[in-house]
């Protein structure tokens, strides 16, 4: 079992894209700059998509160009197509995160592309990215379940991963987009993919929609996964699954691993200070729990009269 | 790995005792009667403590006497002392759940008793309960960590369990009273205790204070635990740890195990109907997530224009 995990902070992209209000560009940049020195492996800064599709991230170019870069941190952008690749590279993105859906209904709803459509576009996008020296990753949405179709056949995901690996892409992220995965399912699929493609970097992107986020992270870790996406405060969600809570919360995930004795590289106390400012930034309470309860290291005073 | 788990519903005791308002006796009875036929192994109905200590459960005798009994369900009461045992037996309690704290500070704050004090009283309490034909269990609060003292030495818990087993008590519940446990800690202690006392029935009582509730349940299950306490809606908390969310949520726990293919015996759809009425009963939102998001079986309609 590995004793080190690597965490990508995705709130600036997966969280802010679904916020009820537009987070001002300067606030986005300030948040990313506050997160940069805290020890994350990567920060998903934004998404180079159509401003019509995701108005909240219409400032993608300005955000990516405006942040301070901490050496060793991979600054990631989600890119759905060749135009996104060009914009992301022009803005100085370190890592291109191509996005597709394992299930065709979700792909059509989210990207107007089936899985086959997306895969057909990735070869040219990968060539462009590789020529520019960018790291390349594919995030597979609905890798465990689709809110329209139900469970997704692991054989389908395996076929998709085979196609991605054949393109010379460095990493794949399995996304439980609407929190449908359970720990056994996560463990089984991750074990299978790690065994088949041991050099492909496998990341888990989990949502806590049904409370299983940390349990799924634990199951993935026990299956050999060492890379996780997470969002500050547990921001995020899915527009097609109302009522759903968001991503696995960064500070809760870091806290769990650190309590288990697994190093994350992240400065948890500093992260909690940033997390505690988040409700003021977004204008509402957020799901993260350690920011409210304090870490397991916290000591409470004895009640009066007990000594 | 066992493929069947047994769940005790503890919201009527561990949830209601800490609610801001007194839940009317008739509402308590109606809720327990709604829960009784749903497949729980046991229901912790109330606590036979001083009404001054826990005013919210001052109606313990009336609640225990007033509920309908479903055959096969163990109706449990928490009892801190000999007077509690007498009251609980008089009200027809099936199972006496003695309570103590692994850490002396918490024991003094909660019960005015050290661990040694509590253990010294249990012999006579157990004799009385056994003579009346009641099942006997001891809940060990702060079994993983104490909000005043910090981590609790597993050797101390092991010594306490040895003393309890020597009294001929049927079961022990390890309580993570303020949500300080992590999955590795849970797995290690459970494995050790199951190996040492294979016939002692071991239950995990977990809180979701720091988001690790289901991850800890998963770790316990993988270590061989098949019995879990949980509270409808995730009610509960700890008066000495403000900001803390409550118990592991019953419907979220049942949902996770059923999704994993592990039988719980609980009718999840019926449980979710009861859970959805809970906010109206207690007058506030509750932490449970599956009641809000729907189960992983839920299908959402495709957006307009996607076919």
């Amino acid at each position: 079992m590995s004793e080190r995990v690597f965490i990508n902070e995705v709130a600036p992209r997966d969280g802010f894209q679904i916020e009820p209000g537009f987070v001002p560009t300067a606030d986005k940049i300030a948040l990313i700059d506050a997160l940069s020195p805290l020890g994350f492996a990567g920060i998903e800064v934004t998404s180079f998509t159509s401003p019509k599709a995701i108005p909240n991230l219409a400032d993608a170019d300005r955000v990516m160009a405006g942040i301070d870069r901490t050496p060793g941190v991979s600054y990631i952008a989600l890119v759905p197509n060749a135009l996104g690749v060009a914009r992301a590279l022009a803005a100085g993105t370190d890592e291109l995160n191509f996005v597709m859906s394992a299930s065709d209904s979700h792909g059509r709803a989210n990207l107007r592309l089936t899985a086959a459509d997306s895969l057909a576009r990735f070869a040219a996008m990968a060539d462009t990215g590789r020529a520019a020296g960018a790291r390349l990753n594919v995030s597979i949405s609905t890798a465990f379940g689709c809110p329209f179709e139900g469970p997704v056949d692991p054989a389908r995901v395996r076929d998709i991963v085979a196609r991605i690996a054949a393109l010379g892409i460095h990493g794949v992220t399995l996304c439980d987009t609407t929190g449908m995965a359970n720990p056994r399912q996560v463990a089984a699929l991750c074990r299978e993919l790690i065994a088949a493609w041991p050099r492909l970097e496998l990341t888990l992107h989990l949502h806590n929609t049904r409370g299983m986020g940390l349990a799924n992270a634990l199951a993935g870790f026990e299956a050999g996964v060492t890379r996780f996406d997470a969002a500050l405060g547990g921001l995020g969600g899915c527009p097609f699954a109302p009522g759903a809570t968001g991503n696995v919360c960064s500070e809760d995930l870091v806290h769990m691993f650190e309590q288990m004795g697994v190093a994350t590289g992240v400065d948890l106390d500093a992260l909690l200070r940033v997390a505690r400012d988040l409700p003021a930034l977004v204008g509402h309470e957020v799901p993260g729990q350690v920011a409210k309860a304090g870490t397991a290291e916290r000591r409470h005073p004895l009640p009066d009269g007990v000594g």
Side-chain angles (χ1 to χ4, degrees), chain A:
Chain A
M1 210 183 277
S2 165
E3 296 300 308
R4 172 70 155 94
V5 293
F6 301 87
I7 300 181
N8 291 331
E9 171 57 56
V10 303
R13 197 279 303 171
D14 204 16
F16 289 168
Q17 73 175 13
I18 200 178
E19 278 300 309
F22 180 84
V23 177
T25 305
D27 289 347
K28 287 173 178 151
I29 292 171
L31 180 72
I32 294 163
D33 287 350
L35 293 167
S36 273
L38 303 189
F40 290 103
I43 298 179
E44 195 165 73
V45 170
T46 189
S47 175
F48 288 94
T49 13
S50 153
K52 280 183 199 153
I54 308 183
N56 275 3
L57 303 183
D59 55 2
D61 311 81
R62 278 172 293 140
V63 175
M64 187 60 87
I67 55 173
D68 288 332
R69 310 290 177 104
T70 295
V73 177
S74 187
Y75 292 91
I76 308 164
L78 195 142
V79 289
N81 52 35
L83 178 59
V85 171
R87 287 174 60 202
L89 292 173
T93 303
D94 297 324
E95 177 173 339
L96 304 177
N97 187 16
F98 303 165
V99 62
M100 62 174 292
S101 297
S103 62
D104 286 338
S105 329
H106 189 268
R108 283 196 299 258
N110 200 38
L111 304 162
R112 302 186 183 277
L113 299 171
T114 64
D117 293 338
S118 291
L119 287 165
R121 295 170 175 221
F122 287 167
M125 290 163 64
D127 287 344
T128 309
R130 198 180 293 111
R135 191 180 175 279
L136 306 176
N137 190 79
V138 175
S139 277
I140 307 175
S141 295
T142 64
F144 300 96
C146 168
F148 311 122
E149 296 180 22
V152 170
D153 185 351
R156 184 175 168 92
V157 179
R158 194 187 159 108
D159 288 347
I160 291 169
V161 172
R163 294 277 306 271
I164 294 167
L167 294 174
I169 284 170
H170 309 105
V172 163
T173 301
L174 300 179
C175 303
D176 184 25
T177 310
T178 58
M180 293 172 66
N182 69 72
R184 281 196 173 164
Q185 184 187 14
V186 169
L189 184 57
C190 292
R191 270 206 191 91
E192 184 186 350
L193 297 181
I194 291 169
W197 292 281
R199 284 181 306 186
L200 192 68
E201 289 191 347
L202 185 66
T203 300
L204 274 174
H205 175 107
L206 301 165
H207 281 235
N208 197 37
T209 318
R210 292 166 177 95
M212 293 184 284
L214 290 188
N216 284 337
L218 177 68
F221 175 72
E222 288 175 346
V225 176
T226 59
R227 294 172 180 274
F228 297 88
D229 284 355
L232 190 73
L235 288 186
C238 175
F240 309 121
T245 56
N247 287 263
V248 160
C249 170
S250 301
E251 58 272 25
D252 292 2
L253 184 71
V254 167
H255 177 265
M256 180 177 80
F257 280 126
E258 295 284 341
Q259 286 290 315
M260 290 169 62
V262 177
T264 64
V266 176
D267 179 340
L268 179 58
D269 290 333
L271 180 62
L272 286 168
R273 286 192 289 274
V274 179
R276 286 182 181 124
D277 291 337
L278 187 63
L281 177 63
V282 295
H284 56 80
E285 283 303 307
V286 299
Q289 301 214 33
V290 176
K292 294 171 195 128
T295 73
E297 310 297 325
R298 182 175 176 190
R299 299 291 164 266
H300 292 272
L302 274 168
D304 288 346
V306 179

